[in-house]
Amino acid sequence: MDRVDAETGPGPSRSIGGLIGVLTAAVAIGAGELVAALVGPSSSPVLAVGGAAVDASPEWLKAFAIRTFGEADKVVLLLGIGAVLLAVAIALGVAGWRRPRLAIGAAAAVTRPATGFGAALPSLVGTAAGLLAFVRLREAAGADAPLLAAPPTIPGYDRRHFLRTAAALAGLAAVGGGLGRVLARRGEAVESRAAARIPPPSDPTPAPPPDPNLAVPEVSAYRTPNEDFYRVDTALLVPTIDATTWSLRVHGMVERELVLDYADVLARPLIERDITLACVSNEVGGPYVGNATWIGAPLADLL
């Protein structure tokens, strides 16, 4: 039963502990996403969890997800991860309200670096920010015992103070996460992609028939427009390449190593071909197939 104080009113219940857990997780994720945008998008704590889930999934489950959800498979996965994180945050918040050392131990366990300090930095910073938010929220809720002491006593609960603290931390979490997403998008090489110009091929593909469209229901066009081409993969973070810094290194069992930049590749004789691509999970009559005109330098000539 909640305690009651003459000046501040009823003390917080387990629901306050759950709210503390959610806000703590939000602050941790927001801080982690902001640092990940500076270190590298692949170090995002959420994407790291999602990537681990994808790697641990059996092939039949991946194929089922692609067949069932198609291009929305990653959205479904991230929503599922969000639901699990929300449930865990609520549980840890309720448990950590009376046993704060439990919350500290769980936070430390999920930040064990696996691929070097740089990749672990967003998770470490996020955990530090989350623990700080946990302390501030716990104090604002009226817990007067030290963080590492026994279960707190609650002489009073200032609801306005707690709500102000909660609103401030929620705002910081939203700003941190939003700014992290904005900075991450700036690294997607959009300008480089827009500025790329492919020269005419020296060996163009034969012209299509005068009217290749059969006008048959559910039969796609002879050539699939770029905006309609399917894209199904298991990568939560789509690789982005800046044409101004990209290079191709040919090494290994070769007589002479080569390093070519994007301009070098475009300067080679280019060919143009109509090629059909189909997803390995596409069924007969399925939508994950497209025919497009591709331009590139033959690899055999390069080698």
Side-chain angles (χ1 to χ4, degrees), residues 127-139:
T127 298
L131 289 177
L132 180 60
F134 176 74
V135 173
R136 295 299 301 271
L137 287 166
R138 190 168 168 273
E139 292 174 350

Side-chain angles (χ1 to χ4, degrees), residues 31 71 99 124 164-165 167-168 199 219 286:
E71 297 181 18
R99 294 289 186 271
L124 293 173
R164 286 196 298 267
T165 304
V219 173

